[in-house]
Each structure stands twice: as C-alpha cells, then as structure tokens.
Amino acid sequence: MTRFILEGEWSGYTSSQQRVVHREIINNKRAERLRQLHKIVYTDGTSLMIRVREAEYREKIKLINSYGELIRDAEKHGGSVVRVADLCEETV
C-alpha cells in the first residue's frame, strides 16, 4: 500500500520565514484530489503552498496537524489557487 504525504509550507512575509507548518499522511484517492490544489492565499498576502508526494520506503514522517481543516475546506472549494476570503464567504 502506497502512502502519500501532504505538506503545507507557509510562505511568510520574507523568504527567511518559509517553513512547513502542516504534514499528514493521506490515501491515494485523496492524494489525486489534492494534486490539483497548489496554494491557499491569505488576505495579508502570505500563502500556504500545498505539496503532495509519495512517501519514501520506511520514511519516518513527523506529523504536524496545524491547517487540516483549512486544507479540507479548500479541497472542497476546488481549484488550484484558493483564497481564504472566498472560503469565509461560503460559510456566511
């Protein structure tokens, strides 16, 4: 069974602030859907870059569950670039 890793990297206000803030293991079906999502853009100009990759053999994966709900909402919204403002409008 193949494992896939979903990582979200926050862009920060400067390049020195870029860091991975979300990491989780996902199944093949969800990996296919999330390959279409590339970026979630915040209203302050920063963004969360989304990357899906296949896990290496015996790779130890440190889970970071910080933005799971936001990523699921963006996944439901659809598209390659999703603005947080658009997600907020949907919930109102």
Side-chain angles (χ1 to χ4, degrees), residues 1-19:
M1 180 176 190
T2 305
R3 298 183 306 163
F4 290 89
I5 300 170
L6 165 68
E7 286 185 328
E9 181 179 14
W10 181 62
S11 66
Y13 297 104
T14 64
S15 61
S16 65
Q17 292 179 314
Q18 291 179 336
R19 66 180 181 277

Side-chain angles (χ1 to χ4, degrees), residues 64-78:
I64 307 170
N65 192 9
S66 301
Y67 291 88
E69 186 174 348
L70 176 66
I71 293 170
R72 282 189 297 279
D73 289 345
E75 180 182 1
K76 289 176 192 171
H77 183 272

Side-chain angles (χ1 to χ4, degrees), residues 43-55:
T43 56
D44 64 358
T46 61
S47 59
L48 184 67
M49 303 299 288
I50 305 298
R51 182 172 68 135
V52 175
R53 65 178 176 87
E54 192 172 327

Side-chain angles (χ1 to χ4, degrees), residues 6-45:
L6 165 68
E7 286 185 328
E9 181 179 14
W10 181 62
S11 66
Y13 297 104
T14 64
S15 61
S16 65
Q17 292 179 314
Q18 291 179 336
R19 66 180 181 277
V20 174
V21 294
H22 184 84
R23 186 180 298 119
E24 66 179 288
I25 300 169
I26 59 174
N27 62 29
N28 187 27
K29 190 174 183 179
R30 186 163 181 226
E32 289 303 316
R33 287 193 314 263
L34 282 167
R35 284 189 199 281
Q36 299 170 11
L37 178 62
H38 299 288
K39 183 176 10 178
I40 300 172
V41 181
Y42 296 97
T43 56
D44 64 358

